[in-house]
Amino acid sequence: MGDLSPSWVLENPAYQVSRKTKGSQLVIPRDSFQNDTGMEDNASHSTTNQTDESENQFPNVDFASPAKLKRQILRQERRGQRTLELIRQEKETDEQMQEAAIQKSMSFENSVIGKYSIWRRDYESPNADAILKLMRDQIIMAKAYANIAKSKNVTNLYVFLMQQCGENKRVIGKATSDADLPSSALDQAKAMGHALSLAKDELYDCHELAKKFRAILQSTERKVDGLKKKGTFLIQLAAKTFPKPLHCLSLQLAADYFILGFNEEDAVKEDVSQKKLEDPSLYHYAIFSDNVLATSVVVNSTVLNAKEPQRHVFHIVTDKLNFGAMKMWFRINAPADATIQVENINDFKWLNSSYCSVLRQLESARLKEYYFKANHPSSISAGADNLKYRNPKYLSMLNHLRFYLPEVYPKLEKILFLDDDIVVQKDLAPLWEIDMQGKVNGAVETCKESFHRFDKYLNFSNPKISENFDAGACGWAFGMNMFDLKEWRKRNITGIYHYWQDLNEDRTLWKLGSLPPGLITFYNLTYAMERSWHVLGLGYDPALNQTAIENAAVVHYNGNYKPWLGLAFAKYKPYWSKYVEYDNPYLRRCDINE
């Protein structure tokens, strides 16, 4: 009590009298221990009259007993001791971390890392191929320094670097990850690191090194371009080939069709069902194909998703070679309610070179040499860029028969054209109820921003094209098209097609195929359908929207990756394969399975 400052003691006469009579008592300002007194709810307080009088005289002060003051002092001491303990522990932790860091740094092999921070980052990478990537990067760097050494006549260093490159290549071999590397790989990486350190000390020249890397980059780009061309060539070649199992299927079906004499019976049946084939009140489909299995999927998927399958009529046209096979297949696998007609394109006597522009062009010597000359360029270096367009199927009459629909079906008013690489997922009957507003062709547009517009398909440097068409006009797709044959006949659409096909005999207006002449023929005569009716790209785009595919009425495998080829995208194939009857004996005999 004697150590307290006088300023802490507030005395008055009443207090002095009280001290004489009842012992000493300290008066402490309320604010001095405001926090501490709040924690001492059970502390003792004087209840004497003197205290009450003092509180009335000094309303801003509290009275604390010596015991309470001692507790407050001890509490402060404990806080100080705890603070010192925490500081000591933090210092010990820092010292331990520093010691661990020093021990870890002493274990580093500086001779391996050398002066190349680029190698250090790769070397310490936790990736599974970190060492493999490091060694490959070392080869690139060593080749650059070796070229500089050779240009400066530093022969010994050049030979040394090339030897190290060879060793790196030998160690790497066919490895694709660090796990494939031999145990000596790390030692070789260290040796190459030493070699690169020496080369940098003796030869490093930023400008010279940049030139060498630029040369390496250009060489690599040429190799990449060559590989891309090779890949394109092989994909086009694979897309053109007819798989052996499908060829087997056609042969087996055709042989049984003629051996069993079904051709005569089918002729009688067609006469009986002729009225249904010409009834304009039914839903008519046109499918032109030489692929039996693909055509069966189109028919099966359409019928299985139709609400009234008995009202659906399929008109299939194929070539002479596959006519028997197609007839046999639909004879033994015909849908229960739908009507199937199979025709041979060679039976259309009106389709001859005097009437058809494509047939007339096929007779020209120039076209024959371009398509069918035995020694025409087919290698990567010559002609591969246009390999896609050199495919004779682009001049096949099955491909161009779509421009003669009124002649093929003179008594029909509307017909839905389907490609053989589509799958139907919903009932298509509502398509016949769409008001096409006087247009001839109903199709889904394919343009997105600047893509798939007319300038992609047509040569607008030719005035015949630029003066008659808009380069930014939106393109559309063949594959699922509703044709109004009444409007077709009224506008002489086939005559328009002949006119432009004749102008393009020298192939200066567009490349080959049926879509460019289709865009021209139906220019300003195409009605844009909702996109959900026809989703394209399953034959070339692996990143299509899955929801759009699921909700589409028709999905189209346009592109090279057809679902019946080994090239097909695995995630898209189930949409097609679920309509294939893999239990069919002909398919099992020809080893056609999922």
Side-chain angles (χ1 to χ4, degrees), residues 415-451:
I415 194 166
L416 185 66
F417 171 79
L418 297 177
D419 270 343
D420 63 0
D421 55 353
I422 64 100
V423 174
V424 178
Q425 301 186 130
K426 293 183 179 180
D427 182 25
L428 300 183
L431 286 172
W432 274 262
E433 300 175 4
I434 294 177
D435 180 10
M436 292 171 54
Q437 302 174 3
K439 306 293 186 181
V440 178
N441 172 32
V444 170
E445 293 182 333
T446 57
C447 56
K448 297 177 182 178
E449 297 178 355
S450 61
F451 301 105

mmCIF file of all heavy atoms in Angstrom, residues 415-451:
data_model
loop_
_atom_site.group_PDB
_atom_site.id
_atom_site.type_symbol
_atom_site.label_atom_id
_atom_site.label_comp_id
_atom_site.label_asym_id
_atom_site.label_seq_id
_atom_site.Cartn_x
_atom_site.Cartn_y
_atom_site.Cartn_z
ATOM 1 N N ILE A 415 -42.253 -34.688 -100.103
ATOM 2 C CA ILE A 415 -41.436 -35.851 -99.774
ATOM 3 C C ILE A 415 -40.294 -35.396 -98.878
ATOM 4 O O ILE A 415 -39.746 -34.300 -99.043
ATOM 5 C CB ILE A 415 -40.911 -36.547 -101.043
ATOM 6 C CG1 ILE A 415 -40.356 -37.932 -100.703
ATOM 7 C CG2 ILE A 415 -39.860 -35.692 -101.741
ATOM 8 C CD1 ILE A 415 -40.126 -38.810 -101.917
ATOM 9 N N LEU A 416 -39.947 -36.224 -97.903
ATOM 10 C CA LEU A 416 -38.840 -35.927 -96.988
ATOM 11 C C LEU A 416 -37.614 -36.706 -97.434
ATOM 12 O O LEU A 416 -37.627 -37.935 -97.488
ATOM 13 C CB LEU A 416 -39.213 -36.310 -95.549
ATOM 14 C CG LEU A 416 -38.177 -35.939 -94.489
ATOM 15 C CD1 LEU A 416 -38.052 -34.425 -94.359
ATOM 16 C CD2 LEU A 416 -38.551 -36.551 -93.136
ATOM 17 N N PHE A 417 -36.565 -35.978 -97.763
ATOM 18 C CA PHE A 417 -35.323 -36.607 -98.205
ATOM 19 C C PHE A 417 -34.441 -36.870 -96.992
ATOM 20 O O PHE A 417 -34.209 -35.986 -96.157
ATOM 21 C CB PHE A 417 -34.596 -35.704 -99.200
ATOM 22 C CG PHE A 417 -33.218 -36.181 -99.548
ATOM 23 C CD1 PHE A 417 -33.043 -37.205 -100.459
ATOM 24 C CD2 PHE A 417 -32.099 -35.610 -98.964
ATOM 25 C CE1 PHE A 417 -31.776 -37.659 -100.779
ATOM 26 C CE2 PHE A 417 -30.830 -36.047 -99.274
ATOM 27 C CZ PHE A 417 -30.668 -37.082 -100.187
ATOM 28 N N LEU A 418 -33.922 -38.117 -96.886
ATOM 29 C CA LEU A 418 -33.048 -38.502 -95.778
ATOM 30 C C LEU A 418 -31.760 -39.104 -96.314
ATOM 31 O O LEU A 418 -31.795 -39.960 -97.211
ATOM 32 C CB LEU A 418 -33.733 -39.525 -94.866
ATOM 33 C CG LEU A 418 -35.003 -39.087 -94.135
ATOM 34 C CD1 LEU A 418 -35.580 -40.253 -93.350
ATOM 35 C CD2 LEU A 418 -34.739 -37.908 -93.225
ATOM 36 N N ASP A 419 -30.617 -38.668 -95.771
ATOM 37 C CA ASP A 419 -29.343 -39.314 -96.077
ATOM 38 C C ASP A 419 -29.256 -40.639 -95.330
ATOM 39 O O ASP A 419 -29.980 -40.868 -94.350
ATOM 40 C CB ASP A 419 -28.177 -38.402 -95.667
ATOM 41 C CG ASP A 419 -27.755 -37.472 -96.798
ATOM 42 O OD1 ASP A 419 -28.115 -37.745 -97.951
ATOM 43 O OD2 ASP A 419 -27.078 -36.464 -96.517
ATOM 44 N N ASP A 420 -28.330 -41.492 -95.764
ATOM 45 C CA ASP A 420 -28.226 -42.804 -95.119
ATOM 46 C C ASP A 420 -27.337 -42.782 -93.872
ATOM 47 O O ASP A 420 -27.165 -43.820 -93.218
ATOM 48 C CB ASP A 420 -27.709 -43.856 -96.107
ATOM 49 C CG ASP A 420 -26.301 -43.558 -96.608
ATOM 50 O OD1 ASP A 420 -25.719 -42.529 -96.200
ATOM 51 O OD2 ASP A 420 -25.772 -44.351 -97.411
ATOM 52 N N ASP A 421 -26.769 -41.623 -93.525
ATOM 53 C CA ASP A 421 -25.938 -41.540 -92.324
ATOM 54 C C ASP A 421 -26.628 -40.743 -91.218
ATOM 55 O O ASP A 421 -25.986 -40.058 -90.426
ATOM 56 C CB ASP A 421 -24.573 -40.928 -92.641
ATOM 57 C CG ASP A 421 -24.675 -39.570 -93.313
ATOM 58 O OD1 ASP A 421 -25.803 -39.156 -93.654
ATOM 59 O OD2 ASP A 421 -23.633 -38.914 -93.504
ATOM 60 N N ILE A 422 -27.960 -40.845 -91.175
ATOM 61 C CA ILE A 422 -28.719 -40.171 -90.123
ATOM 62 C C ILE A 422 -29.424 -41.207 -89.257
ATOM 63 O O ILE A 422 -29.576 -42.377 -89.645
ATOM 64 C CB ILE A 422 -29.742 -39.159 -90.709
ATOM 65 C CG1 ILE A 422 -30.815 -39.875 -91.559
ATOM 66 C CG2 ILE A 422 -29.024 -38.109 -91.542
ATOM 67 C CD1 ILE A 422 -32.106 -40.092 -90.859
ATOM 68 N N VAL A 423 -29.854 -40.763 -88.088
ATOM 69 C CA VAL A 423 -30.659 -41.586 -87.182
ATOM 70 C C VAL A 423 -31.834 -40.734 -86.730
ATOM 71 O O VAL A 423 -31.668 -39.594 -86.308
ATOM 72 C CB VAL A 423 -29.843 -42.056 -85.962
ATOM 73 C CG1 VAL A 423 -30.742 -42.792 -84.972
ATOM 74 C CG2 VAL A 423 -28.696 -42.954 -86.384
ATOM 75 N N VAL A 424 -33.041 -41.300 -86.814
ATOM 76 C CA VAL A 424 -34.257 -40.595 -86.401
ATOM 77 C C VAL A 424 -34.548 -40.942 -84.948
ATOM 78 O O VAL A 424 -34.518 -42.113 -84.559
ATOM 79 C CB VAL A 424 -35.445 -40.990 -87.302
ATOM 80 C CG1 VAL A 424 -36.723 -40.296 -86.826
ATOM 81 C CG2 VAL A 424 -35.148 -40.633 -88.752
ATOM 82 N N GLN A 425 -34.827 -39.909 -84.139
ATOM 83 C CA GLN A 425 -35.069 -40.118 -82.711
ATOM 84 C C GLN A 425 -36.470 -39.696 -82.262
ATOM 85 O O GLN A 425 -36.831 -39.919 -81.109
ATOM 86 C CB GLN A 425 -34.026 -39.346 -81.884
ATOM 87 C CG GLN A 425 -32.583 -39.754 -82.185
ATOM 88 C CD GLN A 425 -31.590 -39.080 -81.265
ATOM 89 O OE1 GLN A 425 -30.732 -39.730 -80.663
ATOM 90 N NE2 GLN A 425 -31.666 -37.763 -81.141
ATOM 91 N N LYS A 426 -37.242 -39.075 -83.159
ATOM 92 C CA LYS A 426 -38.589 -38.635 -82.806
ATOM 93 C C LYS A 426 -39.518 -38.855 -83.994
ATOM 94 O O LYS A 426 -39.065 -39.097 -85.124
ATOM 95 C CB LYS A 426 -38.593 -37.159 -82.411
ATOM 96 C CG LYS A 426 -37.849 -36.851 -81.129
ATOM 97 C CD LYS A 426 -37.958 -35.380 -80.768
ATOM 98 C CE LYS A 426 -37.231 -35.081 -79.471
ATOM 99 N NZ LYS A 426 -37.320 -33.636 -79.107
ATOM 100 N N ASP A 427 -40.805 -38.735 -83.751
ATOM 101 C CA ASP A 427 -41.793 -38.863 -84.822
ATOM 102 C C ASP A 427 -41.643 -37.678 -85.781
ATOM 103 O O ASP A 427 -41.649 -36.515 -85.361
ATOM 104 C CB ASP A 427 -43.196 -38.884 -84.220
ATOM 105 C CG ASP A 427 -44.274 -39.068 -85.278
ATOM 106 O OD1 ASP A 427 -43.963 -39.642 -86.343
ATOM 107 O OD2 ASP A 427 -45.416 -38.638 -85.039
ATOM 108 N N LEU A 428 -41.505 -37.957 -87.072
ATOM 109 C CA LEU A 428 -41.289 -36.908 -88.074
ATOM 110 C C LEU A 428 -42.566 -36.466 -88.769
ATOM 111 O O LEU A 428 -42.517 -35.587 -89.640
ATOM 112 C CB LEU A 428 -40.281 -37.396 -89.126
ATOM 113 C CG LEU A 428 -38.890 -37.769 -88.608
ATOM 114 C CD1 LEU A 428 -37.981 -38.169 -89.770
ATOM 115 C CD2 LEU A 428 -38.267 -36.627 -87.818
ATOM 116 N N ALA A 429 -43.701 -37.036 -88.415
ATOM 117 C CA ALA A 429 -44.959 -36.676 -89.074
ATOM 118 C C ALA A 429 -45.270 -35.181 -89.007
ATOM 119 O O ALA A 429 -45.801 -34.615 -89.974
ATOM 120 C CB ALA A 429 -46.105 -37.488 -88.467
ATOM 121 N N PRO A 430 -44.960 -34.464 -87.895
ATOM 122 C CA PRO A 430 -45.249 -33.027 -87.858
ATOM 123 C C PRO A 430 -44.557 -32.208 -88.941
ATOM 124 O O PRO A 430 -44.977 -31.083 -89.216
ATOM 125 C CB PRO A 430 -44.764 -32.616 -86.459
ATOM 126 C CG PRO A 430 -44.870 -33.858 -85.633
ATOM 127 C CD PRO A 430 -44.518 -34.964 -86.577
ATOM 128 N N LEU A 431 -43.518 -32.759 -89.565
ATOM 129 C CA LEU A 431 -42.840 -32.018 -90.632
ATOM 130 C C LEU A 431 -43.773 -31.748 -91.811
ATOM 131 O O LEU A 431 -43.627 -30.745 -92.516
ATOM 132 C CB LEU A 431 -41.607 -32.792 -91.107
ATOM 133 C CG LEU A 431 -40.386 -32.789 -90.166
ATOM 134 C CD1 LEU A 431 -39.335 -33.757 -90.687
ATOM 135 C CD2 LEU A 431 -39.808 -31.395 -90.045
ATOM 136 N N TRP A 432 -44.719 -32.652 -92.054
ATOM 137 C CA TRP A 432 -45.629 -32.472 -93.185
ATOM 138 C C TRP A 432 -46.656 -31.358 -92.917
ATOM 139 O O TRP A 432 -47.313 -30.909 -93.826
ATOM 140 C CB TRP A 432 -46.345 -33.781 -93.487
ATOM 141 C CG TRP A 432 -45.568 -34.671 -94.396
ATOM 142 C CD1 TRP A 432 -45.724 -34.809 -95.746
ATOM 143 C CD2 TRP A 432 -44.499 -35.557 -94.036
ATOM 144 N NE1 TRP A 432 -44.815 -35.720 -96.241
ATOM 145 C CE2 TRP A 432 -44.049 -36.199 -95.217
ATOM 146 C CE3 TRP A 432 -43.870 -35.866 -92.838
ATOM 147 C CZ2 TRP A 432 -43.018 -37.126 -95.227
ATOM 148 C CZ3 TRP A 432 -42.840 -36.787 -92.848
ATOM 149 C CH2 TRP A 432 -42.427 -37.404 -94.031
ATOM 150 N N GLU A 433 -46.768 -30.931 -91.673
ATOM 151 C CA GLU A 433 -47.726 -29.878 -91.324
ATOM 152 C C GLU A 433 -47.104 -28.488 -91.303
ATOM 153 O O GLU A 433 -47.797 -27.497 -91.091
ATOM 154 C CB GLU A 433 -48.331 -30.192 -89.949
ATOM 155 C CG GLU A 433 -49.072 -31.529 -89.903
ATOM 156 C CD GLU A 433 -49.543 -31.862 -88.496
ATOM 157 O OE1 GLU A 433 -49.342 -30.999 -87.593
ATOM 158 O OE2 GLU A 433 -50.093 -32.957 -88.299
ATOM 159 N N ILE A 434 -45.797 -28.395 -91.503
ATOM 160 C CA ILE A 434 -45.121 -27.092 -91.471
ATOM 161 C C ILE A 434 -45.491 -26.281 -92.711
ATOM 162 O O ILE A 434 -45.443 -26.782 -93.839
ATOM 163 C CB ILE A 434 -43.587 -27.273 -91.401
ATOM 164 C CG1 ILE A 434 -43.201 -27.915 -90.060
ATOM 165 C CG2 ILE A 434 -42.869 -25.944 -91.581
ATOM 166 C CD1 ILE A 434 -41.722 -28.192 -89.920
ATOM 167 N N ASP A 435 -45.850 -25.040 -92.504
ATOM 168 C CA ASP A 435 -46.129 -24.123 -93.604
ATOM 169 C C ASP A 435 -44.801 -23.540 -94.089
ATOM 170 O O ASP A 435 -44.167 -22.737 -93.397
ATOM 171 C CB ASP A 435 -47.055 -23.010 -93.129
ATOM 172 C CG ASP A 435 -47.380 -22.015 -94.249
ATOM 173 O OD1 ASP A 435 -47.047 -22.303 -95.421
ATOM 174 O OD2 ASP A 435 -47.951 -20.946 -93.939
ATOM 175 N N MET A 436 -44.377 -23.937 -95.263
ATOM 176 C CA MET A 436 -43.088 -23.506 -95.789
ATOM 177 C C MET A 436 -43.168 -22.169 -96.528
ATOM 178 O O MET A 436 -42.171 -21.732 -97.115
ATOM 179 C CB MET A 436 -42.509 -24.594 -96.700
ATOM 180 C CG MET A 436 -42.117 -25.849 -95.920
ATOM 181 S SD MET A 436 -41.653 -27.275 -96.945
ATOM 182 C CE MET A 436 -40.390 -26.576 -97.983
ATOM 183 N N GLN A 437 -44.308 -21.524 -96.487
ATOM 184 C CA GLN A 437 -44.471 -20.155 -96.995
ATOM 185 C C GLN A 437 -44.043 -20.014 -98.463
ATOM 186 O O GLN A 437 -43.366 -19.062 -98.844
ATOM 187 C CB GLN A 437 -43.692 -19.185 -96.115
ATOM 188 C CG GLN A 437 -44.121 -19.230 -94.657
ATOM 189 C CD GLN A 437 -43.256 -18.386 -93.759
ATOM 190 O OE1 GLN A 437 -42.348 -17.695 -94.223
ATOM 191 N NE2 GLN A 437 -43.525 -18.432 -92.458
ATOM 192 N N GLY A 438 -44.399 -21.011 -99.249
ATOM 193 C CA GLY A 438 -44.107 -20.944 -100.673
ATOM 194 C C GLY A 438 -42.696 -21.343 -101.054
ATOM 195 O O GLY A 438 -42.337 -21.299 -102.243
ATOM 196 N N LYS A 439 -41.874 -21.754 -100.073
ATOM 197 C CA LYS A 439 -40.508 -22.186 -100.375
ATOM 198 C C LYS A 439 -40.526 -23.632 -100.876
ATOM 199 O O LYS A 439 -41.469 -24.378 -100.655
ATOM 200 C CB LYS A 439 -39.628 -22.089 -99.124
ATOM 201 C CG LYS A 439 -39.623 -20.715 -98.463
ATOM 202 C CD LYS A 439 -38.966 -19.665 -99.327
ATOM 203 C CE LYS A 439 -38.852 -18.344 -98.569
ATOM 204 N NZ LYS A 439 -38.231 -17.281 -99.388
ATOM 205 N N VAL A 440 -39.451 -24.006 -101.532
ATOM 206 C CA VAL A 440 -39.353 -25.348 -102.107
ATOM 207 C C VAL A 440 -38.663 -26.324 -101.165
ATOM 208 O O VAL A 440 -39.047 -27.491 -101.065
ATOM 209 C CB VAL A 440 -38.607 -25.293 -103.459
ATOM 210 C CG1 VAL A 440 -38.465 -26.688 -104.048
ATOM 211 C CG2 VAL A 440 -39.315 -24.364 -104.426
ATOM 212 N N ASN A 441 -37.651 -25.833 -100.471
ATOM 213 C CA ASN A 441 -36.795 -26.686 -99.652
ATOM 214 C C ASN A 441 -36.906 -26.265 -98.187
ATOM 215 O O ASN A 441 -36.702 -25.100 -97.852
ATOM 216 C CB ASN A 441 -35.336 -26.569 -100.135
ATOM 217 C CG ASN A 441 -34.351 -27.278 -99.220
ATOM 218 O OD1 ASN A 441 -34.681 -28.292 -98.616
ATOM 219 N ND2 ASN A 441 -33.151 -26.736 -99.135
ATOM 220 N N GLY A 442 -37.209 -27.216 -97.305
ATOM 221 C CA GLY A 442 -37.190 -26.962 -95.872
ATOM 222 C C GLY A 442 -35.976 -27.618 -95.259
ATOM 223 O O GLY A 442 -35.800 -28.832 -95.366
ATOM 224 N N ALA A 443 -35.093 -26.819 -94.642
ATOM 225 C CA ALA A 443 -33.836 -27.356 -94.118
ATOM 226 C C ALA A 443 -33.415 -26.572 -92.887
ATOM 227 O O ALA A 443 -33.903 -25.475 -92.620
ATOM 228 C CB ALA A 443 -32.737 -27.297 -95.188
ATOM 229 N N VAL A 444 -32.484 -27.144 -92.144
ATOM 230 C CA VAL A 444 -31.906 -26.484 -90.972
ATOM 231 C C VAL A 444 -30.667 -25.726 -91.405
ATOM 232 O O VAL A 444 -29.779 -26.282 -92.061
ATOM 233 C CB VAL A 444 -31.550 -27.527 -89.889
ATOM 234 C CG1 VAL A 444 -30.734 -26.881 -88.783
ATOM 235 C CG2 VAL A 444 -32.809 -28.143 -89.320
ATOM 236 N N GLU A 445 -30.589 -24.463 -91.031
ATOM 237 C CA GLU A 445 -29.427 -23.649 -91.391
ATOM 238 C C GLU A 445 -28.232 -24.037 -90.524
ATOM 239 O O GLU A 445 -28.381 -24.418 -89.364
ATOM 240 C CB GLU A 445 -29.749 -22.162 -91.226
ATOM 241 C CG GLU A 445 -30.790 -21.658 -92.224
ATOM 242 C CD GLU A 445 -31.054 -20.172 -92.087
ATOM 243 O OE1 GLU A 445 -30.858 -19.640 -90.972
ATOM 244 O OE2 GLU A 445 -31.451 -19.535 -93.082
ATOM 245 N N THR A 446 -27.052 -23.927 -91.099
ATOM 246 C CA THR A 446 -25.836 -24.353 -90.406
ATOM 247 C C THR A 446 -24.881 -23.221 -90.114
ATOM 248 O O THR A 446 -23.818 -23.452 -89.533
ATOM 249 C CB THR A 446 -25.089 -25.401 -91.264
ATOM 250 O OG1 THR A 446 -24.812 -24.846 -92.558
ATOM 251 C CG2 THR A 446 -25.920 -26.661 -91.423
ATOM 252 N N CYS A 447 -25.216 -21.991 -90.510
ATOM 253 C CA CYS A 447 -24.263 -20.893 -90.318
ATOM 254 C C CYS A 447 -24.235 -20.464 -88.857
ATOM 255 O O CYS A 447 -25.251 -20.369 -88.195
ATOM 256 C CB CYS A 447 -24.627 -19.704 -91.205
ATOM 257 S SG CYS A 447 -26.307 -19.103 -90.967
ATOM 258 N N LYS A 448 -23.032 -20.225 -88.365
ATOM 259 C CA LYS A 448 -22.808 -19.674 -87.038
ATOM 260 C C LYS A 448 -21.766 -18.569 -87.187
ATOM 261 O O LYS A 448 -20.629 -18.833 -87.555
ATOM 262 C CB LYS A 448 -22.296 -20.746 -86.078
ATOM 263 C CG LYS A 448 -23.288 -21.875 -85.842
ATOM 264 C CD LYS A 448 -22.690 -22.936 -84.947
ATOM 265 C CE LYS A 448 -23.640 -24.100 -84.743
ATOM 266 N NZ LYS A 448 -23.048 -25.164 -83.897
ATOM 267 N N GLU A 449 -22.164 -17.348 -86.930
ATOM 268 C CA GLU A 449 -21.318 -16.182 -87.133
ATOM 269 C C GLU A 449 -20.832 -16.184 -88.587
ATOM 270 O O GLU A 449 -21.619 -16.070 -89.506
ATOM 271 C CB GLU A 449 -20.167 -16.189 -86.125
ATOM 272 C CG GLU A 449 -20.654 -16.084 -84.689
ATOM 273 C CD GLU A 449 -19.517 -16.132 -83.689
ATOM 274 O OE1 GLU A 449 -18.365 -16.342 -84.099
ATOM 275 O OE2 GLU A 449 -19.792 -15.968 -82.494
ATOM 276 N N SER A 450 -19.526 -16.358 -88.821
ATOM 277 C CA SER A 450 -19.021 -16.308 -90.192
ATOM 278 C C SER A 450 -18.852 -17.688 -90.816
ATOM 279 O O SER A 450 -18.373 -17.802 -91.942
ATOM 280 C CB SER A 450 -17.660 -15.582 -90.216
ATOM 281 O OG SER A 450 -16.724 -16.285 -89.418
ATOM 282 N N PHE A 451 -19.217 -18.741 -90.087
ATOM 283 C CA PHE A 451 -18.990 -20.094 -90.579
ATOM 284 C C PHE A 451 -20.172 -20.589 -91.418
ATOM 285 O O PHE A 451 -21.313 -20.206 -91.206
ATOM 286 C CB PHE A 451 -18.749 -21.049 -89.411
ATOM 287 C CG PHE A 451 -17.572 -20.674 -88.566
ATOM 288 C CD1 PHE A 451 -17.746 -20.102 -87.321
ATOM 289 C CD2 PHE A 451 -16.290 -20.850 -89.032
ATOM 290 C CE1 PHE A 451 -16.662 -19.744 -86.538
ATOM 291 C CE2 PHE A 451 -15.196 -20.494 -88.270
ATOM 292 C CZ PHE A 451 -15.385 -19.937 -87.015
#
